[in-house]
Amino acid sequence: LFYPEGSMSIFTDTSNKKLSRSVALIAIISSMKKINYKNWWQDAFIRGRYPLVELTSDKIWRAKTKKQVQFLLKTLKLPQGAKILDLACGAGRHSIALARHGYKVTGLDISPVYLAHAKKMSDGIKNSITWIHRDMRRMPFKNSFDAALNLFTSFGYFPKASDDLLVLRRIYRALKQDG
């Protein structure tokens, strides 16, 4: 979906507590501009019109992030200082949490809007996180990471399946031998 600029203020406006999320969603949909559905993700993510920052700042999302990171830590069992690629990192919620656990994280995203927010939120832990503005199809990494993550809903948006396959090949190339 495409969210016009400012439309997410409906969710964060505390002066109107009676407005439910379903009514807010109807308001957003009714105010949508005409978009190119083939490349909808460009409007949503590159231009930052999908309300990722607002959504992930929510108390419920913060709790989800904490649980997701605990699951990753338990499942991956990476040593402290391991290098992690957070592909399509968005506003950086997982990257920041992982860096706080002692990992060296590279967050890569196509959206300068989301990356600006991620940089702001990670201000105190800069040495553990590198933020890169780039299309995931053009990742330059080779044998660099112990793990690569692609979380939320960040895969399968390209119009051609060959682009998705290219991303998978780039992820494989970015991982160390035992990554």
Side-chain angles (χ1 to χ4, degrees):
L1 292 174
F2 170 76
Y3 298 86
E5 290 180 34
S7 64
M8 282 312 294
S9 62
I10 296 168
F11 286 106
T12 57
D13 181 7
T14 57
S15 66
N16 190 355
K17 295 185 187 284
K18 292 183 180 179
L19 185 61
S20 70
R21 288 189 182 253
S22 59
V23 172
L25 185 56
I26 291 167
I28 291 166
I29 292 170
S30 67
S31 64
M32 287 174 26
K33 296 178 183 177
K34 187 175 182 177
I35 62 168
N36 175 352
Y37 284 98
K38 182 177 180 183
N39 294 314
W40 65 270
W41 58 273
Q42 292 176 344
D43 246 356
F45 302 116
I46 295 174
R47 292 173 186 89
R49 297 192 184 200
Y50 179 80
L52 185 65
V53 172
E54 290 89 348
L55 287 173
T56 59
S57 297
D58 180 81
K59 182 180 175 181
I60 295 169
W61 279 88
R62 287 193 309 268
K64 283 183 182 182
T65 302
K66 185 176 180 179
K67 286 181 181 180
Q68 291 164 346
V69 168
Q70 289 302 321
F71 172 79
L72 291 170
L73 296 173
K74 182 179 176 183
T75 304
L76 296 175
K77 298 178 183 161
L78 295 171
Q80 290 284 14
K83 294 177 73 179
I84 299 173
L85 173 62
D86 186 359
L87 186 60
C89 66
R93 62 192 179 108
H94 296 101
S95 296
I96 293 167
L98 289 164
R100 286 187 176 135
H101 281 278
Y103 297 101
K104 301 290 182 194
V105 182
T106 298
L108 183 142
D109 203 276
I110 199 166
S111 172
V113 175
Y114 300 152
L115 286 173
H117 178 75
K119 287 176 187 176
K120 180 180 168 187
M121 298 308 293
S122 66
D123 199 27
I125 51 175
K126 286 181 184 174
N127 294 334
S128 296
I129 306 176
T130 302
W131 301 110
I132 298 176
H133 175 230
R134 184 160 296 164
D135 185 320
M136 67 174 77
R137 294 172 288 187
R138 291 165 188 50
M139 282 187 290
F141 311 113
K142 292 182 182 175
N143 302 316
S144 302
F145 298 97
D146 299 294
L149 309 174
N150 184 253
L151 304 167
F152 198 52
T153 58
S154 322
F155 187 76
Y157 292 155
F158 301 118
K160 296 186 290 182
S162 59
D163 284 334
D164 293 329
L165 184 57
L166 174 63
V167 171
L168 293 174
R169 287 185 175 131
R170 296 286 171 123
I171 293 170
Y172 180 80
R173 185 178 76 174
L175 290 170
K176 294 177 182 177
Q177 185 174 355
D178 294 326

